[in-house]
């Protein structure tokens, strides 16, 4: 088991990548703290944890400092330590558009969750990782952190660029303390988040044209990548822009 003895905190665990990661991490021996705004969804995730696995749910908004402090405290209180911090919660507002059209409130909330949420997770999580002798932080960015799209989602794109920059700097700051920090950059996935945004078949096909593999990724595929970053298998990997994207960022022209 690749996470035996480790305690992992995963935000956004009520759905998509976070849920699949909670299930996989528990299967690999981790005790998991599942965090999300959506308490019902968290219950459903706990119901999917394989028998023998240990997990608790903490309903919290990662955009609020007190909530982030509470989730880290819960990890240490219930499981005695924290070794893996997966800052994965994120939003993409369907009203997110170009600079002219996007409302200031949409921009602000996107940054509050996607960027400040990662910052706050680290603010309270890093002292806990220090107390346990080191660990692994995984921040979910996106392929849009390095590529621009003509289908505008400006606040989201900017927020993911910020997550990538923040992750790199954290990796450098904390490298000598045994804390690794990597940015997981998923390509377009067949999860609720993206399917709500690409809400017509035409929009979906337009996006798929840019993916060499010609399909959307699955949340479970991101969970497997996150598992590698969480485990000691990736012991010399820090500060990486970890692309798991079906080749989208490698493509200039895609196959017919
Ligand atoms: P998802 O919508 O299935 O899951 C996101 C989860 O985050 C939800 O359960 C939601 O309730 C939770 N959440 C939202 N705001 C929160 C908050 N303030 N506090 C706590 N929890 C909150 O989406 P997903 O695809 O699994 O997304 C996970 C991450 O992957 C996000 O950061 C997203 O930006 C990123 N990502 C997704 C794609 C994609 O194509 N789906 C691509 C690249 C990156």
């Amino acid at each position: 088991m690749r996470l035996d003895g480790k305690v992992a905190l995963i935000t956004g665990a009520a759905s998509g990548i976070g849920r699949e990661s909670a299930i996989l991490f528990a299967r690999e021996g981790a005790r998991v703290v599942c965090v999300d705004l959506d308490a019902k969804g968290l219950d459903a995730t706990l119901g999917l944890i394989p028998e023998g696995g240990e997990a608790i749910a903490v309903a919290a908004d990662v955009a609020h400092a007190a909530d982030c402090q509470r989730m880290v405290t819960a990890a240490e209180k219930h499981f005695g330590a924290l070794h893996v911090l997966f800052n994965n919660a994120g939003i993409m507002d369907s009203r997110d558009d170009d600079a002219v059209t996007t409302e200031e409130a949409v921009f602000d909330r996107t940054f509050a969750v996607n960027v400040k949420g990662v910052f706050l997770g680290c603010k309270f999580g890093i002292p806990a990782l220090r107390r346990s002798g080191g660990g692994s932080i995984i921040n979910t960015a996106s392929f849009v952190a390095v590529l621009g799209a003509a289908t505008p989602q400006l606040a989201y794109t900017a927020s993911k660029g910020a997550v990538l920059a923040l992750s790199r700097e954290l990796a450098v700051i904390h490298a000598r303390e045994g804390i690794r920090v990597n940015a997981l950059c998923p390509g377009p996935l067949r999860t609720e988040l993206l399917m709500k945004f690409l809400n017509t078949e035409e929009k979906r096909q337009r996006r798929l044209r840019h993916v060499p593999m010609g399909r959307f990724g699955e949340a479970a595929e991101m969970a497997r990548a996150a598992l590698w970053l969480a485990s000691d298998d990736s012991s010399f990997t820090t500060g990486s822009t970890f692309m798991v994207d079906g080749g989208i960022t490698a493509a200039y022209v895609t196959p017919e």
Side-chain angles (χ1 to χ4, degrees), residues 29-110:
R31 285 165 293 160
V32 185
V33 181
C34 300
V35 178
D36 206 289
L37 265 183
D38 173 5
K40 259 196 183 159
L42 282 177
D43 282 347
T45 298
L46 289 195
L48 294 167
I49 298 294
E51 229 179 277
E54 280 185 72
I56 59 165
V58 178
D61 183 341
V62 298
H64 292 150
D67 283 21
C68 289
Q69 189 163 28
R70 189 164 49 81
M71 72 189 187
V72 172
T73 301
E76 293 195 305
K77 220 171 166 181
H78 284 265
F79 296 134
L82 182 68
H83 307 100
V84 176
L85 173 63
F86 188 5
N87 291 306
N88 166 73
I91 54 169
M92 182 193 280
D93 195 302
S94 56
R95 295 164 299 171
D96 192 0
D97 205 300
D98 59 20
V100 177
T101 314
T102 304
E103 292 163 30
E104 196 178 342
V106 169
F107 192 91
D108 285 347
R109 180 64 186 162
T110 302

Side-chain angles (χ1 to χ4, degrees), residues 203-218:
K203 283 187 192 166
R204 288 173 191 176
Q205 288 308 323
R206 181 150 197 268
R207 181 63 61 91
L208 281 180
R209 247 189 276 148
H210 301 284
V211 185
M213 285 190 174
R215 66 168 175 89
F216 291 107
E218 301 291 337

Side-chain angles (χ1 to χ4, degrees), residues 15-17 36-37 60-62 88 90 140-141 156 160 187 189 191 193:
S15 175
I17 298 172
D36 206 289
L37 265 183
D61 183 341
V62 298
N88 166 73
T140 306
Y156 182 81
K160 293 304 185 179
L189 306 182
T191 58
L193 179 137

Side-chain angles (χ1 to χ4, degrees), residues 15 20 32 57 75 92 100 117 134 148 150 159 177 183 232 237 241 243 247 255:
S15 175
E20 292 297 331
V32 185
M92 182 193 280
V100 177
S159 75
E177 305 181 80
D232 295 338
T237 302
T241 304
M243 291 292 174

